[in-house]
Amino acid sequence: MRIIIKPGDLRLPLDPSLSFGRNAELVVEVGFGDGRYLSHLAAEFSDANLLGVDVSLGSVWRAYRRMLRENISNVRLFRGDARFVVRDLVAPGTLSRIYVNFPDPWPRKKHLKHRLLQAPFFELLSTRLKERGSLLLTTDHQEYYQFALDEAASTSLYSVTESDPPPATLTTKYAEKWREMKKDIFHARFEKISEAAPHPAIIKKTDMHHSILEGDLSAVTTFEKQIHAFPGGHSIILEGFRDLNNESLIFKVRVEEPDLVQEILIQAWQKPDGVFVSLQPFGDPLATRGVKESVHAVTDFLASKGLVVKQRWI
Ligand SMILES: C[S@@+](CC[C@H](N)C(=O)[O-])C[C@H]1O[C@@H](n2cnc3c(N)ncnc32)[C@H](O)[C@@H]1O
């Protein structure tokens, strides 16, 4: 069974029996870095399914090698944004605990918006946590720590207990760094006491992503960058190029949806009965609304070059 969860294989929300091979209590760690704490959690909660999320590919790779080295079987790793994981991978009311150790503090005023632990995230999380489920925060950054306490308090959805950090949180790479510098380290448990209104999640499309046009692809000789907006996001057709055999056009598209950015390839093939536009598996895309909209955007671009739309997947 794969340790690294591939977007293309994903069920939304995550199906634990497929991703972990068993149904068990779900525990998440956000920003696992080199995976040290995940390895500790895997041993401490051997009966739980542990899902680690980190935006950095380097972190995923380091943690992956650690899981292999230490022969850990109850951890899965996902490269991406914690907001996406909590909203779209975790089914409502199923999360026992979520650990956040030394989150990026984004200290500059103009960057505060990047902080994870803000009221909207606490609200979303309350809908994914089980009854009395909790978020455990450990940080060296007193100002972010107070910010997180204030943001959670503003939602009235959590009861907060402050304490000394659990010893294992003081052994992460960043904890060691800050302890060497003799910095104080803060710890709080945010326990869910109430729940915000339901938060909708991304719906995975299972139907076909294609359209068919009439016309001659070789008539398309120029390309201009295209931007296509849709409710909740936009896609940008960044590049268009011809394949070596001159049988198709390939478009590189960047799809931006809430907390999910994907780069995908869409190909337009010249076939005897028309030009067939479809998503390519390159990049292991997650089939979202934005991906479907991107097929529309490429179809519209080809239509603007004189081809005629015969059939469009809606
Ligand atoms: C300061 S490091 C701490 C790493 C580790 N927890 C430790 O204590 O050594 C913050 C980590 O969070 C990850 N990260 C930052 N923002 C994130 C987000 N929105 N979702 C998931 N991971 C994130 C970074 O890639 C990085 O690995």
Side-chain angles (χ1 to χ4, degrees):
M1 196 157 282
R2 289 181 205 278
I3 294 178
I4 301 178
I5 294 178
K6 290 171 60 194
D9 293 344
L10 270 182
R11 290 279 180 91
L12 296 182
L14 199 78
D15 180 341
S17 60
L18 290 181
S19 296
F20 288 89
R22 64 176 186 178
N23 282 309
E25 175 184 45
L26 180 65
V27 174
V28 166
E29 185 187 357
V30 169
F32 49 74
D34 66 5
R36 249 179 255 190
Y37 195 69
L38 265 180
S39 138
H40 158 80
L41 289 173
E44 186 175 3
F45 303 110
S46 55
D47 290 341
N49 288 339
L50 290 149
L51 174 62
V53 51
D54 201 299
V55 282
S56 151
L57 192 54
S59 295
V60 172
W61 188 240
R62 279 186 288 277
Y64 170 68
R65 283 184 306 183
R66 180 184 296 277
M67 300 306 136
L68 285 185
R69 228 175 22 244
E70 299 181 7
N71 209 12
I72 291 172
S73 61
N74 57 335
V75 167
R76 297 291 176 271
L77 306 171
F78 182 78
R79 182 197 176 198
D81 192 302
R83 301 163 184 96
F84 171 72
V85 163
V86 171
R87 194 190 52 221
D88 301 303
L89 296 198
V90 177
T94 61
L95 182 59
S96 290
R97 282 181 309 291
I98 178 166
Y99 293 86
V100 189
N101 293 327
F102 304 94
D104 292 340
W106 296 104
R108 295 175 63 185
K109 202 166 177 193
K110 68 174 184 184
H111 291 152
L112 290 184
K113 60 179 184 289
H114 298 305
R115 286 182 171 173
L116 178 67
L117 301 178
Q118 305 194 40
F121 182 75
F122 280 111
E123 284 166 7
L124 162 68
L125 180 65
S126 73
T127 66
R128 300 314 193 242
L129 284 170
K130 285 179 156 170
E131 285 280 295
R132 309 216 75 86
S134 51
L135 179 146
L136 293 104
L137 167 66
T138 304
T139 178
D140 59 292
H141 200 277
Q142 189 167 17
E143 198 269 309
Y144 187 16
Y145 179 68
Q146 190 55 52
F147 175 91
L149 293 176
D150 294 344
E151 291 286 304
S154 75
T155 68
S156 307
L157 298 170
Y158 296 86
S159 84
V160 178
T161 313
E162 297 181 71
S163 68
D164 287 338
T169 62
L170 301 177
T171 61
T172 73
K173 189 170 160 198
Y174 273 79
E176 284 182 351
K177 186 166 146 184
W178 304 133
R179 283 169 73 206
E180 259 171 42
M181 293 168 69
K182 306 258 183 283
K183 283 181 112 186
D184 287 334
I185 293 181
F186 307 91
H187 178 80
R189 171 189 283 266
F190 301 77
E191 186 175 303
K192 167 178 162 178
I193 50 170
S194 182
E195 194 165 308
H199 264 257
I202 288 184
I203 294 166
K204 188 166 178 179
K205 303 281 174 189
T206 49
D207 36 6
M208 294 258 288
H209 295 65
H210 74 265
S211 62
I212 300 170
L213 298 98
E214 242 168 32
D216 183 2
L217 263 192
S218 58
V220 182
T221 52
T222 54
F223 170 77
E224 307 83 36
K225 186 167 139 183
Q226 307 285 314
I227 299 180
H228 170 75
F230 54 86
H234 58 268
S235 42
I236 309 166
I237 311 180
L238 296 165
E239 290 173 59
F241 42 94
R242 226 167 252 293
D243 76 8
L244 284 181
N245 298 332
N246 207 12
E247 289 170 343
S248 73
L249 294 178
I250 300 169
F251 298 90
K252 181 176 161 194
V253 184
R254 183 178 167 90
V255 193
E256 301 195 349
E257 293 172 270
D259 312 316
L260 180 69
V261 177
Q262 306 194 82
E263 293 213 336
I264 60 173
L265 288 183
I266 292 177
Q267 197 156 10
W269 289 94
Q270 185 76 58
K271 301 238 165 124
D273 46 354
V275 171
F276 196 79
V277 180
S278 66
L279 173 69
Q280 293 306 296
F282 176 85
D284 196 25
L286 178 63
T288 59
R289 157 118 197 224
V291 168
K292 172 183 126 169
E293 293 281 351
S294 304
V295 175
H296 284 314
V298 169
T299 305
D300 291 343
F301 169 71
L302 294 175
S304 76
K305 297 289 178 188
L307 282 77
V308 178
V309 181
K310 268 173 52 183
Q311 188 188 319
R312 195 195 273 270
W313 167 70
I314 298 173

